[in-house]
Amino acid sequence: MTALSEFNVRSGGETDWINITGDVQKKVAASGIREGICVVFIPHTTAAVTINENADPDVSRDVNFALNMISPDRREFRHGEGNSAAHTKTSLVGPSITLIVTGGRLLLGTWQGIWFNEYDGPRTRKVHVRVSGD
Ligand code: ZN
């Protein structure tokens, strides 16, 4: 069996992490698949997805601080839209994650959550979810 679905997220500021664990879990439950794989894919070039701590909001703040150190805005950038720092962070974090589905649920560690990462908001963004298995 396989199921493809999507949902939207509305990001706040220029840099914003949104916990989408519950949204993805709902798509897994709706698929009826008990054992398999779930792929989460972000179809954007200045937004990404990652798995990280779901408890302390300082973690996302600190990761964004580190990403801003790695990819600050630079006047040497040529891209006319002026958001090359956001494009760079998106490539560093990545457009997709693969998760294990077992017992009809996502297999995540106690402290893990799925985070939509906005680097060029505020915007309305799309998240695709493919669940495959039995
Ligand atoms: Zn751009």
Side-chain angles (χ1 to χ4, degrees), residues 65-77:
F65 176 78
L67 285 171
N68 283 331
M69 298 278 286
I70 295 166
S71 179
D73 198 18
R74 301 291 299 254
R75 64 185 167 90
E76 291 88 349
F77 285 145

Side-chain angles (χ1 to χ4, degrees), residues 3 5 7 19-41 49-51 54 97-115 127-132:
S5 59
F7 62 89
N19 190 334
I20 58 170
T21 313
D23 303 279
V24 177
Q25 182 57 57
K26 279 180 197 157
K27 298 299 185 186
V28 171
S31 76
I33 291 167
R34 304 276 304 162
E35 302 294 327
I37 294 292
C38 173
V39 175
V40 179
F41 179 77
V49 65
T50 194
I51 295 173
N54 61 15
I97 54 172
T98 305
L99 299 119
I100 295 168
V101 174
T102 186
R105 296 194 56 80
L106 296 166
L107 179 60
L108 287 165
T110 303
W111 303 106
Q112 287 183 315
I114 304 168
W115 293 91
V127 179
H128 295 295
V129 180
R130 165 72 82 180
V131 188
S132 298

Side-chain angles (χ1 to χ4, degrees), residues 46 79 81-84 87:
T46 54
H79 175 48
E81 205 181 8
N83 59 356
S84 286
H87 286 292

